Amino acid sequence: MGQTQPRMSSSDSAVDGYDLTLTDKVIAATGPNAHPRLAEIMPSLVRHLHDFAREVNLTVDEWTVAIDLINECGRMSDDKRNETQLLCDILGLETLVDEITANMVADASANGSATPSAILGPFYRHDAPLLPNGSSIVKDLSPEVEWYETAVADSALITGRVLSSASPTEPIRNAIVDVWHSAPNGLYEQQDPDQPDMNLRGRFKTDDEGRFSFYCLRPVAYPIPDDGPAGKFLAMLDRHPYRPGHIHFVVSAPEHRTLTTQIFDDRDEYIQKDSVFAVKDELIVSFVPREGDPNGKWLLEYDFVLDTVA
Ligand code: BEZ
Ligand code: FE
């Protein structure tokens, strides 16, 4: 088999020694009682997979390396770390399926004005503490903390409303704003034994006007975990592992579609080069300086708009 075959499609007849009926045989092997969604999508997957292998002249040695990589991801994954998901993230696949899902939901809804979604990422924790509006998600900050100075300089107040996309937009009371972000050392609390449990996480319930408010820190860029196979793969591609500074949210309310999203700080040097491709223009925010409050030297006002359930 030559090393410089031209691209070929399985829809062509036999070309240059490839038995192109192989693809059709694999597709035809699916039985009549196959899971309906699998029966629908597998012909496309098999065709793309076979076309890819033929197009790049994939060798047994290369295929073995890929299998080893996927196996290593699986071996490394547990309930604290999902390396296979990380591999998908650096290939943009989680962002793509998030976008596809959001488009399908938007098509089904009456209104297209909802806040865009962004991927959940691997560091969400259920049951973050429910805190009163106006309180802080920064726990036990003292001068002994390694990143104390940065935390003081980057202390921020975030206020906003949760609105329903129903026209005209209406504030939603009792919506839950679930928020989490990493510390100035780039680590989420579950990655860092020096941070208190549930540091930089909280849930806030909106008031009668749909308002929420809390203190946090302006987010900083951090590398995705790159000490495993996904990181090795990034290095082989000559890529950096950084995500721009961002804050994660899950915003939920009865009769509305739950919104999973992130906001991105516009000061960040990685804003146009997120290693997992999650940045959307509508989610880029500008914190403004604030006087007279030592707990919040920056202010961000941001409203979330939720779609109603069709
Ligand atoms: C995160 O933002 O937390 C994240 C997202 C994808 C991969 C790794 C980390
Ligand atoms: Fe994150």
Side-chain angles (χ1 to χ4, degrees), residues 25-35 38-39 42-43:
K25 282 184 202 151
V26 175
I27 291 170
T30 298
N33 298 317
H35 183 283
L38 283 181
M42 285 310 289

Side-chain angles (χ1 to χ4, degrees), residues 76-200:
M76 196 171 190
S77 296
D78 56 23
D79 57 349
K80 294 209 173 59
R81 179 159 179 168
N82 191 333
E83 192 71 8
T84 317
Q85 182 177 341
L86 200 56
L87 184 63
C88 290
D89 287 340
I90 64 177
L91 295 174
L93 189 59
E94 191 180 356
T95 287
L96 179 60
V97 295
D98 178 61
E99 194 179 340
I100 292 166
T101 308
N103 283 346
M104 290 173 73
V105 165
D107 287 349
S109 76
N111 205 302
S113 61
T115 303
S117 62
I119 61 175
L120 180 68
F123 297 114
Y124 179 66
R125 282 185 69 185
H126 292 277
D127 303 324
L130 188 61
L131 302 170
N133 278 307
S135 56
S136 179
I137 61 171
V138 189
K139 278 177 128 182
D140 303 343
L141 183 63
S142 73
E144 283 72 55
V145 174
E146 173 211 345
W147 35 265
Y148 175 77
E149 301 290 336
T150 316
V152 170
D154 278 347
S155 61
L157 175 65
I158 298 186
T159 68
R161 289 172 305 164
V162 177
L163 303 168
S164 171
S165 72
S167 186
T169 50
E170 298 254 347
I172 308 176
R173 64 194 287 267
N174 291 339
I176 299 291
V177 177
D178 194 341
V179 56
W180 69 105
H181 68 80
S182 64
N185 62 359
L187 297 173
Y188 287 87
E189 49 87 25
Q190 72 264 58
Q191 298 175 288
D192 182 359
D194 292 334
Q195 289 183 53
D197 188 43
M198 291 288 180
N199 191 34
L200 300 169

Side-chain angles (χ1 to χ4, degrees), residues 23 26-27 38-52:
T23 304
V26 175
I27 291 170
L38 283 181
E40 181 190 349
I41 69 177
M42 285 310 289
S44 176
L45 176 67
V46 171
R47 215 166 263 129
H48 283 286
L49 213 50
H50 286 207
D51 279 349
F52 161 73

